[in-house]
Amino acid sequence: MKATTKNKQERVLTGITTTGTPHLGNYVGAIRPAIAASKQNDVSAYYFLADFHALIKCQDPQVVHKSTQEIAATWLAFGLDPNNVAFYRQSDIPEIPQLCWYLNCIAPKGLMNRAHAYKDATQKNIDSGEDNDFGVAMGLFSYPVLMAADILMFNGTKVPVGRDQIQHIEMARDIAQRFNYLYGKHFSLPEAVVDSETAVLQGLDGRKMSKSYGNTIPLFLPENQLKKHINKIKTNLLEPGEPKDPETSAIFQIWKAFAPQKQTDYMRKEFENGIAWGEAKKQLFELVNGEIEGPRVRYNELMESPDYIESILCEGARKARTYSVPFLEKLNKAVGLYSLEKGSS
Ligand code: TRP
């Protein structure tokens, strides 16, 4: 993530949906830059496990529960220091769903109609001759409002996200502006931070590495499994000795995301010199494994210590709520929900 302007007021906030097991793409695209950002001492950082969001996509309680632990363990294993951030579970902050309702009451429905996730779902239905809203739950439809509540509850100003989420941050701004217009200026307007430098990894089949394509390399596979996955990365039929194009190769793209500049230059030469695919994969395995073997040990230890993770998350929620509890009280008053006793206005 690019260093943002030095400003003590900067509040970096981002959420990680707790469905599925983290993969190499999540690491280079989100985890690594977010941990780096949390080390800057001129920002306050709020990172949370978006488990309310997980329920939109996944109705398997065990998967949601386990994924929460896996994702928390992953962030901690890579060195997220809970002293630098408020690291919490969304469902531990009851102020979020309460604010979400206030926002729902003012968020224009027409705005939600334009959200990509909803539009994709309805388009699929139209293409297959179903009713537009077939299988679309209210959770999916109003998901940008929940995201707005996540952000506005902590007055997040900088929100590091993937490109696909920019629209949601813009919606959060619109909703914040509308609230401010109606009730007074309570919310700062959040901005998406999308780093063009951040790698978007290709997956095993050359498309973007993504859970939904089933082409991922999970982060903390045992070594031999990691090797197997890397060996499965799709290549073309060029023989050893034939020059290969680094720019179209998933192997090279992953290499670049893990290697310092010098090693990237080295591999580009190797491609020009016709490195064998098998050899390139072997070197890629060593490079990636080198970066994750330490964290893998910590991850496995953490997965054996759920009580420890729980204590970190509870402390994170406590810290986060020192902001959200008094802020929600102010918002309650702003919308007109407060005690009838004299003197409480
Ligand atoms: N929807 C985001 C994603 O799928 C995760 C998320 C939930 C989030 N709430 C957020 C990201 C608030 C930033 C801010 O990636």
Side-chain angles (χ1 to χ4, degrees):
M1 182 177 323
K2 243 173 255 154
T4 46
T5 41
K6 301 247 175 240
N7 177 350
K8 269 251 179 281
Q9 302 310 311
E10 222 63 283
R11 303 171 69 84
V12 180
L13 177 145
T14 198
I16 313 101
T17 308
T18 53
T19 39
T21 304
H23 55 73
L24 292 188
N26 300 138
Y27 171 61
V28 301
I31 303 172
R32 193 172 60 186
I35 293 178
S38 74
K39 291 182 180 156
Q40 295 173 241
N41 51 16
D42 51 354
V43 300
S44 43
Y46 290 77
Y47 296 167
F48 67 97
L49 302 161
D51 53 355
F52 284 146
H53 287 267
L55 302 184
I56 298 169
K57 295 188 204 151
C58 178
Q59 283 88 42
D60 182 334
Q62 252 140 20
V63 171
V64 172
H65 186 74
K66 177 137 190 278
S67 166
T68 302
Q69 188 188 349
E70 286 177 348
I71 292 178
T74 302
W75 284 69
L76 296 170
F78 278 111
L80 179 72
D81 179 351
N83 293 316
N84 289 339
V85 301
F87 184 50
Y88 55 95
R89 183 166 41 197
Q90 183 186 26
S91 61
D92 283 340
I93 316 291
E95 295 74 34
I96 294 175
Q98 192 165 338
L99 173 59
C100 185
W101 179 250
Y102 299 168
L103 301 182
N104 261 305
C105 292
I106 58 151
K109 174 176 178 287
L111 186 67
M112 297 303 112
N113 288 343
R114 294 196 287 277
H116 298 312
Y118 174 65
K119 271 176 58 179
D120 287 352
T122 50
Q123 193 56 47
K124 275 201 191 104
N125 283 334
I126 293 166
D127 293 347
S128 58
E130 295 283 358
D131 181 74
N132 280 14
D133 283 330
F134 176 75
V136 176
M138 282 305 293
L140 175 71
F141 181 67
S142 57
Y143 143 79
V145 185
L146 179 56
M147 222 170 124
D150 295 334
I151 298 168
L152 302 179
M153 189 71 263
F154 296 98
N155 257 320
T157 49
K158 300 281 173 194
V159 188
V161 282
R163 221 160 273 290
D164 58 318
Q165 298 290 319
I166 297 176
Q167 187 195 33
H168 295 143
I169 313 305
E170 285 165 358
M171 290 179 165
R173 286 174 74 89
D174 287 353
I175 296 171
Q177 267 167 325
R178 182 152 174 75
F179 190 98
N180 286 349
Y181 171 75
L182 290 166
Y183 296 118
K185 194 181 171 318
H186 296 279
F187 298 128
S188 317
L189 303 184
E191 252 175 67
V193 181
V194 180
D195 189 349
S196 52
E197 306 275 288
T198 300
V200 175
L201 282 200
Q202 294 177 22
L204 296 176
D205 57 359
R207 290 187 292 171
K208 177 187 166 190
M209 189 180 291
S210 161
K211 269 182 304 215
S212 40
Y213 295 145
N215 64 356
T216 67
I217 303 178
L219 257 175
F220 291 126
L221 293 169
E223 256 182 42
N224 59 343
Q225 292 280 332
L226 176 64
K227 202 176 268 167
K228 270 200 188 145
H229 271 73
I230 289 180
N231 282 332
K232 278 195 276 186
I233 298 173
K234 204 172 125 196
T235 54
N236 56 28
L237 295 171
L238 292 173
E239 299 284 341
E242 291 186 81
K244 299 175 174 67
D245 177 15
E247 299 313 321
T248 55
S249 160
I251 298 179
F252 185 77
Q253 296 307 312
I254 301 176
W255 179 275
K256 204 164 108 184
F258 280 85
Q261 190 58 45
K262 252 192 165 160
Q263 266 178 297
T264 302
D265 297 343
Y266 150 83
M267 189 49 91
R268 185 171 278 118
K269 282 248 158 56
E270 288 290 282
F271 267 64
E272 282 163 17
N273 295 339
I275 187 172
W277 287 126
E279 178 58 24
K281 287 177 173 177
K282 190 171 149 249
Q283 293 191 25
L284 178 63
F285 164 74
E286 272 152 22
L287 177 72
V288 173
N289 193 51
E291 185 157 337
I292 62 184
E293 64 190 343
R296 184 195 290 125
V297 173
R298 287 197 292 282
Y299 176 81
N300 290 331
E301 285 166 4
L302 285 159
M303 288 303 284
E304 295 297 314
S305 324
D307 293 3
Y308 173 73
I309 300 179
E310 184 63 29
S311 70
I312 299 272
L313 294 178
C314 288
E315 174 54 23
R318 193 200 57 73
K319 216 196 255 181
R321 293 190 76 206
T322 60
Y323 191 86
S324 61
V325 170
F327 189 31
L328 186 71
E329 256 169 51
K330 254 180 74 194
L331 298 174
N332 290 341
K333 276 210 167 145
V335 300
L337 306 185
Y338 55 94
S339 163
L340 295 176
E341 281 172 17
K342 275 200 188 126
S344 25
S345 63

